[in-house]
Amino acid sequence: QSALTQPASVSGSPGQSVTISCTGTNSDIGGYKYVSWFRQHPGKAPQLLIYDVSDRPSGISDRFSGSKSGTTASLTISGLQAEDEADYYCSSYTTSDSLEWVFGEGTKLTVL
Amino acid sequence: EVQLVESGGGLVQPGGSLRLSCEASGFTFRSYWMHWVRQTPGKGLVWVSRISSDGSSRRYVDSVKGRFTVSRDTARKMVFLQMSSLGVEDTAVYYCAREHLVSRHFDLWGRGTPVTVSS
């Protein structure tokens, strides 16, 4: 079971929008609604941004939105702010015999 | 305060053992499935293990099967990861994470505890 595929890096200017993709298979993203997105600042624990493809936990800005089409999920961050510069990871439940959850490789977001 | 606090990480020689602990507070620990996730230096997150709320069901990623054992102590509100036959590839920051009660996602993470396997 390989990691979900994310772009290594994306960038955008303050106020702009960026979208991060996350590609899996029918055994994970394509088969379940259990797709989540996390933000991680250096040296910190991951922070949940999106769960169940498109739901936001309380306290998370509506600048963060999620979607899914087939085996690819996406995270869109609108109105980029300097504090958004971080690493972003997707995750999905999987039916793989070798593991129960699979994460993306991570995407470094740079705010120009 | 709702939180998870990991401990027990450190430097261990190849082939050695280590026991990680995760202490929960601020929520009804006995109701939740708990997970361990690790992150190698400069790399991404990898799911390691899961234990059900009553401890009756446990799963592991293939790379640690037979070497790692997850357990929990409901009275002490703690979850453990016993690691043995450690190799350099096990070097990582190990996070304890809580799975949401209703939907399947990790809704609470600890700050992690670092494990370094080196001679």
Side-chain angles (χ1 to χ4, degrees), chain A residues 16-109:
Chain A
Q16 289 186 333
S17 296
V18 295
T19 297
I20 301 172
S21 62
C22 172
T23 301
T25 68
N26 287 320
S27 296
D28 40 67
I29 292 177
Y32 299 94
K33 71 171 185 176
Y34 303 126
V35 178
S36 304
W37 288 89
F38 302 90
R39 176 173 66 181
Q40 187 179 34
H41 288 110
K44 302 293 187 180
Q47 177 191 22
L48 179 67
L49 298 174
I50 296 287
Y51 67 95
D52 289 358
V53 175
S54 60
D55 290 341
R56 280 187 309 276
S58 60
I60 297 300
S61 169
D62 59 4
R63 297 188 300 108
F64 296 93
S65 62
S67 64
K68 186 183 86 166
S69 178
T71 59
T72 298
S74 299
L75 171 71
T76 298
I77 308 171
S78 59
L80 271 180
Q81 301 176 0
E83 68 195 50
D84 296 329
E85 184 160 300
D87 293 323
Y88 290 79
Y89 295 92
C90 57
S91 77
S92 175
Y93 179 74
T94 176
T95 54
S96 167
D97 289 338
S98 61
L99 76 173
E100 189 165 277
W101 290 88
V102 61
F103 286 89
E105 302 152 328
T107 298
K108 170 66 177 179
L109 169 61

Side-chain angles (χ1 to χ4, degrees), chain B residues 61-114:
Chain B
V61 66
D62 275 358
S63 60
V64 309
K65 282 180 181 176
R67 301 189 299 121
F68 289 14
T69 301
V70 64
S71 61
R72 63 192 295 159
D73 184 329
T74 299
R76 296 167 61 191
K77 298 184 180 180
M78 297 186 73
V79 62
F80 306 99
L81 188 67
Q82 178 68 47
M83 307 185 295
S84 61
S85 301
L86 285 164
V88 294
E89 68 278 7
D90 297 313
T91 294
V93 175
Y94 284 75
Y95 293 99
C96 173
R98 184 183 78 175
E99 183 175 328
H100 191 267
L101 271 181
V102 178
S103 173
R104 303 209 66 179
H105 62 273
F106 306 122
D107 66 348
L108 180 66
W109 296 69
R111 290 191 170 188
T113 186

Side-chain angles (χ1 to χ4, degrees), chain B residues 9 11-12 18 22 36 39-40 55 70 74 77 79 93-94 110:
Chain B
L11 174 63
V12 60
L18 210 55
C22 170
W36 288 96
Q39 186 170 33
T40 51
V70 64
T74 299
K77 298 184 180 180
V79 62
V93 175
Y94 284 75

